[in-house]
Amino acid sequence: MRYRIYCLLFLLLARPLDLFAAESPADPLNSVMWHEMHQRLLDGAPVVFDERVRVSAPAVAEDSLNLPLWIDATALGEVERLLVFAELNPIPKVLDMQPLKAAPRIGLRIKVQQATPVRAAALTADGVWHLGGVLVDAAGGGCTAPSMGSGSSDWADRLGEVTARLWSRENHSRLRASIVHPMDTGLVAGIPAFYLEQLEIRASGGDLISRLALFEPIAENPVLTLDLPKVKQLTMAGRDNNGNPVEAQISESSQTGSNRL
């Protein structure tokens, strides 16, 4: 009897740790990488495929360096994290957003290396990830092409420059901001990874509205669109992976233009 107990304990301890994680549900997009993404990016946590998480993108990426995405998980209600990833990119993770006081909704542009599922995963308070996604066809090469702006003579002087617009909608404010940055992936020979890494958006009084972690596959000179609670003025601050700061004050009165502190 004791021998059987020892054998059972040995078998349990010898099992790979990921077998104790939640089983990956069947993937409606039939991706060969889905199980790997579930374990690596979502830590094997409980997952449901949910039509309330909407990912809007062209069926074909005409420009693999600039694929527009619109992610909307507002139908879920409160969301703790919003994770965006392109499964067949050499660097899958694109964005990790903590909406906090912002709506769990964002527009952005990304690079794609080949045809790939593009997904958004929204984490709710019960610890469940709700997934939506689409298949995007692409000629490819977006992640292994050098940035265009780094060939310009003034790109270093304009690094981190923010051009933004903030305007009121029916029950919220919308922010659209463009940030000058090459967003190099590090996958081009002789060009190290150089990308925006973190952004925080705060109300004029300093209250944190939203926090974003950004990764290499976001397109060069990122353009981000967010829906925020009603604000007249806000601050955007962050840094890239080399420690260069991004700092801007944005208000409704200055609808466009460069904003740097």
Side-chain angles (χ1 to χ4, degrees):
M1 181 66 178
R2 182 176 297 176
Y3 173 77
R4 291 181 179 178
I5 293 174
Y6 287 155
C7 288
L8 179 60
L9 287 173
F10 174 79
L11 290 173
L12 287 172
L13 292 173
R15 294 177 70 188
L17 291 177
D18 67 347
L19 293 181
F20 292 97
E23 183 179 353
S24 300
D27 176 19
L29 300 181
N30 295 316
S31 169
V32 296
M33 290 296 292
W34 160 235
H35 177 73
E36 172 71 16
M37 294 296 103
H38 182 205
Q39 302 303 321
R40 193 198 327 172
L41 299 185
L42 306 179
D43 297 324
V47 165
V48 293
F49 290 99
D50 195 326
E51 293 181 353
R52 292 175 295 176
V53 180
R54 296 171 53 200
V55 179
S56 301
V60 178
E62 295 183 1
D63 181 356
S64 295
L65 293 167
N66 278 285
L67 174 71
L69 296 180
W70 181 250
I71 311 295
D72 189 346
T74 53
L76 291 174
E78 187 173 345
V79 169
E80 295 187 349
R81 286 175 63 194
L82 189 61
L83 182 66
V84 181
F85 55 99
E87 283 187 13
L88 298 182
N89 269 2
I91 304 170
K93 191 183 289 188
V94 174
L95 177 93
D96 192 345
M97 176 185 183
Q98 292 176 270
L100 302 175
K101 297 179 181 179
R105 179 166 56 212
I106 188 167
L108 68 161
R109 293 174 179 267
I110 72 169
K111 301 184 282 275
V112 289
Q113 184 66 12
Q114 58 184 308
T116 181
V118 178
R119 303 193 201 258
L123 179 66
T124 48
D126 58 1
V128 175
W129 288 97
H130 300 254
L131 260 72
V134 294
L135 285 172
V136 175
D137 197 5
C143 294
T144 51
S147 61
M148 305 290 289
S150 55
S152 173
S153 59
D154 67 343
W155 78 269
D157 294 332
R158 299 186 60 214
L159 183 70
E161 184 177 287
V162 178
T163 302
R165 183 185 175 200
L166 178 68
W167 70 98
S168 291
R169 307 197 79 183
E170 184 176 350
N171 56 3
H172 63 273
S173 293
R174 174 160 287 185
L175 169 67
R176 181 167 295 144
S178 174
I179 307 167
V180 176
H181 204 285
M183 299 299 290
D184 289 310
T185 62
L187 300 176
V188 180
I191 303 177
F194 183 40
Y195 60 97
L196 285 173
E197 194 171 50
Q198 186 182 75
L199 286 174
E200 289 186 348
I201 299 168
R202 295 181 180 270
S204 56
D207 291 340
L208 182 61
I209 298 175
S210 186
R211 178 181 289 121
L212 294 87
L214 300 88
F215 299 90
E216 297 95 316
I218 290 182
E220 181 178 358
N221 300 327
V223 178
L224 304 172
T225 302
L226 298 97
D227 286 337
L228 314 173
K230 284 277 192 178
V231 290
K232 296 291 186 181
Q233 186 174 359
L234 56 81
T235 298
M236 174 183 285
R239 57 177 170 77
D240 64 24
N241 66 319
N242 283 2
N244 298 300
V246 173
E247 298 177 326
Q249 289 182 337
I250 304 162
S251 63
E252 278 192 0
S253 58
S254 57
Q255 294 294 302
T256 59
S258 174
N259 297 272
R260 300 188 73 176
L261 290 179

